[in-house]
Amino acid sequence: MEIVRIASPSRSEMRRQQELMRRFTEEWGFPSAQVMTRTDGIIKGAGLQKVDGLPVYNACVRIPGTYSQQKDAQSYKGQFPKVLLEGHIDTVNPAELLPASAPYVPVKLQKATDALVKTKAELAALPDELHFDKDGKIIEDANYKKAYQRYNDYEDALARGALRIYVPGYNDAMINTAAVMQAAYMLNKYKIKPVYDIWVCGTTGEEGKGNLCGMKQLYGYNQDTGKGNNALNFVANFGADSTSPGSGTVNYLGSYRFEIKYSEPAGIKVGAKQPSALMAMNRAIEMISNLKTPYDLDKKAERTTYTVGVGSCTPAPEGE
């Protein structure tokens, strides 16, 4: 809840990245040589440093393995094989980067028996919230103690006056990424030595129009050619991108993303038989959902899936 307070819209994750990298060395005990990312977005040895012309703000730390010390160890262009464990650090709300003078999003509290808020204004109006000190650490005051409770189930929580906690990006997907970072902390704390190096990363650009830039940098993936050079030599990938147990993703193939714009022809009015731009978009999404690939029929086939990440409408000018 401390790190997610830092607004981190897709392609503007630099502040959350910097806080993670600070904690790697100052709080979690990692030597600086094991922090593999730089605050300007550069990863030494990566086959791609910018995506869509913009820096990539991944936050990666390395757990050294034993393989490189073996006499028969094999490398690829100077890189020994490594495993990637990642969860993304960008979140949907707020959609814009907050000013540097006020970079944090409040963590609001509400009685669980009350109706869920539906608007940003309703959320802002909630009087109770968790408190944090000048260093961004949670203060264990009365509000914290009321919120930090455990219950047998949802019904038990309602009966015992539980509080609902509104945490930006918690479900998608900072709860997963926090677990990934906790794994890195524990591996380092107890000096666990894997065979291959493990890179634990908070990746960027998963949400909205982020174009999966974090993963593309790590794999050197060029969307124009549809190929990745994998200059860092990752041999396995574990993606913590789901809150459902057992549904994490192992390994990836690639990604193509397209932006499609619809405009409503002039003269169409409410009730007309011709579709509006919104209707046309909805129908296109329906057609995409009906597409079938070999993977739908045979899970051993190359995995291919389709998704629509963002759908939005631009209001017409006043009077039109």
Side-chain angles (χ1 to χ4, degrees):
M1 288 188 289
E2 294 172 347
I3 292 176
V4 298
R5 292 175 63 236
I6 304 170
S8 191
S10 198
R11 301 316 307 257
S12 296
E13 305 93 344
M14 65 287 289
R15 293 176 188 159
R16 189 174 284 174
Q17 178 226 36
Q18 290 168 9
E19 176 61 13
L20 282 169
M21 291 172 61
R22 184 192 70 79
R23 293 191 180 203
F24 285 158
T25 55
E26 295 182 17
E27 297 182 12
W28 300 345
F30 284 98
S32 58
Q34 288 176 224
V35 179
M36 311 313 297
T37 42
R38 294 185 351 197
T39 55
D40 61 0
I42 299 297
I43 298 178
K44 184 179 180 181
L48 186 71
Q49 299 295 359
K50 291 188 176 182
V51 176
D52 299 328
L54 298 173
V56 180
Y57 299 107
N58 286 324
C60 299
V61 67
R62 178 173 64 93
I63 309 298
T66 60
Y67 178 80
S68 62
Q69 308 304 314
Q70 298 179 12
K71 292 183 179 180
D72 58 348
Q74 298 183 26
S75 64
Y76 169 71
K77 295 184 178 180
Q79 294 280 350
F80 289 103
K82 53 183 65 71
V83 173
L84 176 63
L85 173 61
E86 61 84 24
H88 67 87
I89 62 172
D90 59 322
T91 48
V92 174
N93 292 313
E96 302 293 334
L97 189 65
L98 298 178
S101 58
Y104 300 109
V105 181
V107 176
K108 292 287 190 173
L109 304 175
Q110 179 196 37
K111 290 182 179 179
T113 51
D114 291 348
L116 285 165
V117 301
K118 297 181 179 180
T119 67
K120 292 181 179 179
E122 289 180 358
L123 181 63
L126 294 178
D128 292 328
E129 60 184 63
L130 294 179
H131 301 120
F132 300 82
D133 64 22
K134 62 181 180 60
D135 298 317
K137 296 296 185 182
I138 196 164
I139 298 174
E140 298 185 14
D141 57 11
N143 275 2
Y144 173 87
K145 293 175 181 177
K146 287 190 296 183
Y148 196 82
Q149 300 292 328
R150 294 293 182 268
Y151 304 94
N152 295 326
D153 51 38
Y154 183 63
E155 287 70 24
D156 181 45
L158 294 179
R160 294 169 56 194
L163 295 180
R164 181 179 291 120
I165 309 175
Y166 290 94
V167 185
Y170 181 72
N171 195 51
D172 190 10
M174 282 304 297
I175 184 175
N176 316 31
T177 306
V180 164
M181 294 301 167
Q182 182 72 3
Y185 169 74
M186 299 301 285
L187 287 167
N188 182 63
K189 178 179 179 180
Y190 292 105
K191 308 302 179 187
I192 303 299
K193 290 291 183 182
V195 177
Y196 293 156
D197 284 6
I198 298 176
W199 279 35
V200 182
C201 294
T203 53
T204 63
E206 194 274 347
E207 301 288 0
K209 297 181 181 180
N211 207 9
L212 296 182
C213 63
M215 297 299 289
K216 286 180 175 178
Q217 181 190 36
L218 290 168
Y219 282 98
Y221 181 83
N222 186 320
Q223 180 161 307
D224 294 333
T225 63
K227 296 180 180 179
N229 55 36
N230 196 17
L232 293 171
N233 197 14
F234 288 109
V235 296
N237 187 117
F238 297 87
D241 194 40
S242 175
T243 52
S244 300
S247 62
T249 303
V250 180
N251 293 342
Y252 291 84
L253 296 175
S255 168
Y256 283 95
R257 292 199 172 189
F258 303 91
E259 182 175 357
I260 302 172
K261 294 184 178 180
Y262 301 85
S263 60
E264 180 177 282
I268 294 180
K269 298 182 182 298
V270 175
K273 294 182 179 180
Q274 293 169 281
S276 68
L278 176 61
M279 290 173 62
M281 179 179 70
N282 289 339
R283 289 176 179 173
I285 293 172
E286 180 188 20
M287 293 174 69
I288 292 171
S289 71
N290 290 329
L291 286 173
K292 300 298 181 184
T293 71
Y295 180 77
D296 292 310
L297 303 175
D298 180 3
K299 298 308 179 187
K300 294 182 180 180
E302 184 173 77
R303 184 175 184 180
T304 303
T305 60
Y306 297 92
T307 184
V308 177
V310 178
S312 61
C313 293
T314 302
E318 187 175 350
E320 294 187 11

